[in-house]
Amino acid sequence: MIPLTHILIFTSILFSIGLYGALSRRHVVGILIAVELMLNAANINLVVFSRYTNTNPATGQIFAVIIIVLAAIAAAVGLAIVLSIYRNQKTIYSDEIDILKW
Amino acid sequence: MEIILAISKIGIYAIFGITILGAIFAVTLRNIFHAALGLVLALLGVAAVYFSMEAEFLGAIQILLYVGGIMTLIIFVVMLTSRIGDRTVPTSNHQRYPALVGILFLIAFLIRLVRETPWQLKAELSTIDAITIGKEFMGAYVLPFEITSLVLVVALIGAIVIARSDLKK
């Protein structure tokens, strides 16, 4: 098997790419896509740690399943909010949505 | 046997490369529809990583839920919005270059952290099958399972309420 550190470096890079996307995108759906990438990187870490270290091997995978469900919830609620904002504001760019600022 | 092991190692690193390539596509491409396709590539790569870690149940869930469900939702919303392929509209805000510098520092920091930590590894890798996961869900982890289902119901009702068009009075 490949060493643990290589997988952790891979997930660190994946998480950082997602964070860059969340910080730099203007499009709201683009920000959601970047958040999904970060959740996936965290999920791989859970599975890898439960496989390589002395924890109960079921724990990591069970919480990975729960995180996948929560990510699906986040996507559903986020996209509902996007639809609602687009219907009211006719824009989808995060710096043009400023009705809570004055 | 040695050759097969070497080839499988190379295959895992190739999966890592493809996943990172898909992730870079997903955060940098101008057209948000192409970015969603890059996300599909990255999610399939993550599913392949799960399969290579002998977490077949998670890999199947990943393909079903993400690549099936979330991608359908995202592409659905992308189709509903206009000005997608317009080259005059900037796709990133003014934080782009500071964010890039900060992310490079973060990657360097995380790599140093990972390399210098003394990991307490076990001699033999553990594997687990879907039957054990199901039994654990109904046994020791039944409370997180129930709370997750409750959150799922609440969030889906909330999403329907937010996304519906206005009621006719």
Side-chain angles (χ1 to χ4, degrees):
Chain A
M1 269 315 276
I2 59 173
L4 172 68
T5 51
H6 290 188
I7 306 176
L8 292 183
I9 289 171
F10 160 68
T11 54
S12 306
I13 293 172
L14 196 61
F15 181 85
S16 305
I17 291 172
L19 187 57
Y20 168 73
L23 288 176
S24 69
R25 279 274 188 196
R26 279 181 76 222
H27 201 294
V28 177
V29 178
I31 294 173
L32 261 177
I33 287 173
V35 170
E36 300 296 335
L37 279 179
M38 289 196 281
L39 285 167
N40 268 284
N43 247 349
I44 296 177
N45 265 13
L46 283 177
V47 176
V48 169
F49 279 128
S50 75
R51 185 162 158 77
Y52 279 73
T53 62
N54 269 321
T55 52
N56 179 4
T59 311
Q61 292 203 23
I62 280 174
F63 281 95
V65 171
I66 291 177
I67 289 178
I68 288 178
V69 173
L70 292 180
I73 293 171
V77 175
L79 293 175
I81 292 173
V82 169
L83 274 179
S84 177
I85 287 174
Y86 187 72
R87 196 178 292 136
N88 291 317
Q89 297 274 306
K90 296 283 173 266
T91 182
I92 199 86
Y93 292 101
S94 55
D95 47 359
E96 292 171 4
I97 303 165
D98 52 3
I99 49 171
L100 284 183
K101 295 191 274 186
W102 69 91
Chain B
M1 205 60 209
E2 293 283 319
I3 295 173
I4 294 174
L5 275 177
I7 290 175
S8 69
K9 270 191 179 182
I10 293 172
I12 292 176
Y13 287 117
I15 290 170
F16 286 178
I18 289 171
T19 309
I20 287 181
L21 194 71
I24 291 173
F25 283 162
V27 298
T28 54
L29 287 183
R30 292 189 62 86
N31 190 327
I32 198 72
F33 184 71
H34 295 167
L37 293 182
L39 179 67
V40 171
L41 187 62
L43 294 178
L44 284 176
V46 171
V49 171
Y50 288 149
F51 282 121
S52 76
M53 312 251 171
E54 300 179 37
E56 294 89 0
F57 179 65
L58 261 183
I61 292 271
Q62 171 91 3
I63 291 175
L64 275 176
L65 237 100
Y66 269 110
V67 186
I70 293 183
M71 286 320 300
T72 313
L73 273 176
I74 287 179
I75 290 173
F76 177 66
V77 167
V78 165
M79 295 296 186
L80 278 173
T81 58
S82 59
R83 290 200 294 166
I84 279 178
D86 197 347
R87 298 197 75 82
T88 59
V89 179
T91 53
S92 59
N93 56 19
H94 54 87
Q95 303 173 18
R96 180 176 193 169
Y97 294 107
L100 192 59
V101 173
I103 291 311
L104 290 178
F105 274 113
L106 179 67
I107 290 178
F109 172 71
L110 284 175
I111 287 177
R112 182 151 178 243
L113 201 69
V114 166
R115 295 181 74 90
E116 293 189 359
T117 307
W119 299 106
Q120 305 273 322
L121 298 183
K122 129 174 102 166
E124 201 167 300
L125 299 180
S126 56
T127 58
I128 190 166
D129 55 355
I131 297 172
T132 319
I133 294 176
K135 281 182 177 161
E136 291 279 333
F137 253 132
M138 284 296 118
Y141 298 97
V142 69
L143 185 65
F145 178 75
E146 294 292 341
I147 292 175
T148 310
S149 55
L150 190 66
V151 171
L152 185 63
V153 171
V154 171
L156 289 183
I157 293 173
I160 292 170
V161 171
I162 292 172
R164 73 178 171 183
S165 50
D166 292 331
L167 289 176
K168 295 201 175 72
K169 301 222 166 86

